[in-house]
Amino acid sequence: MRRIPLLPTLIVLAAVAVMIALGIWQLRRADEKAALLARYERAMTLPPIEYPANPRDDSSLFRRSAGLCLTVEGMMARAGSNQAGETGYRHVAECRAGGGDAPVMAVDIGWSRKPDSPKWRGGPVTGVIGPDPKHRIALVSDVAAPGLEASAKPDIRNIPNNHLGYAFQWFFFATAALIIYALALRRRLVALDANQG
């Protein structure tokens, strides 16, 4: 009598169910990311705003903005490009934009080929708010600090929306797992029939 092994079958079916669920989740994420990118595209056409008081809030991304860097508390160099697309270093100043416990305002003050920190003492800045790995957002200045070139402007095309590809991968893995298990099961059943015959 042919018997399908219960435990391995349950394990494979459970794994396939998880993969399908992950694929469906990625499809939802693709829709969410598309809506987010549409919101960012609209933000580029809105009037300028003052630099946000809560820099951890990324709802202001891709808006034109202005701020006042009262004091520079730190400077860091990060990989980046200039407006011509050349690679080098973006220089991001950590500014105090108010007294006391006011949050840090991150300002991309320009680009250079070398990571050496420029001497910049702050002042008024206008530009576009872009994503920043440490501060979540940073004001990318329209005008580079002395000795630097302007950094590349924030571009929504640099924000990937590859969730659809991930969804198809999970569905492919689920299909492949079912096919491989079915072939292994068939081979096992053929071998059992041959042993019994």
Side-chain angles (χ1 to χ4, degrees), residues 11-185:
I11 290 171
V12 169
L13 291 177
V16 167
V18 168
M19 288 184 251
I20 290 171
L22 287 169
I24 291 168
W25 176 71
Q26 288 291 350
L27 286 176
R28 288 190 191 124
R29 289 286 296 131
D31 289 341
E32 291 169 7
K33 183 62 77 71
L36 182 67
L37 292 174
R39 190 184 93 201
Y40 289 159
E41 202 161 325
R42 281 191 307 275
M44 295 166 66
T45 65
L46 296 173
I49 58 170
E50 192 174 325
Y51 193 81
N54 178 9
R56 302 305 292 174
D57 176 13
D58 62 3
S59 63
S60 58
L61 278 171
F62 300 98
R63 292 283 301 266
R64 288 207 52 79
S65 183
L68 177 61
C69 177
L70 294 175
T71 57
V72 178
E73 301 205 337
M75 187 76 69
M76 61 190 72
R78 295 208 183 105
S81 58
N82 63 8
Q83 293 185 359
E86 298 173 294
T87 57
Y89 297 90
R90 298 169 48 226
H91 298 277
V92 179
E94 294 179 321
C95 295
R96 220 23 102 180
D101 293 331
V104 168
M105 178 174 80
V107 181
D108 180 335
I109 61 170
W111 173 95
S112 69
R113 295 186 193 286
K114 296 181 180 178
D116 306 334
S117 292
K119 292 185 174 23
W120 185 70
R121 291 190 166 78
V125 182
T126 59
V128 178
I129 297 173
D132 183 80
K134 180 178 178 184
H135 303 97
R136 198 165 182 94
I137 63 172
L139 183 56
V140 181
S141 179
D142 290 332
V143 179
L148 301 178
E149 294 179 37
S151 294
K153 294 294 179 207
D155 190 340
I156 60 172
R157 290 174 296 187
N158 294 333
I159 300 176
N161 186 5
N162 41 17
H163 297 287
L164 196 58
Y166 292 148
F168 285 126
Q169 279 183 337
W170 284 117
F171 294 143
F172 172 79
F173 293 153
T175 304
L178 283 175
I179 290 170
I180 290 168
Y181 186 67
L183 291 173
L185 196 57

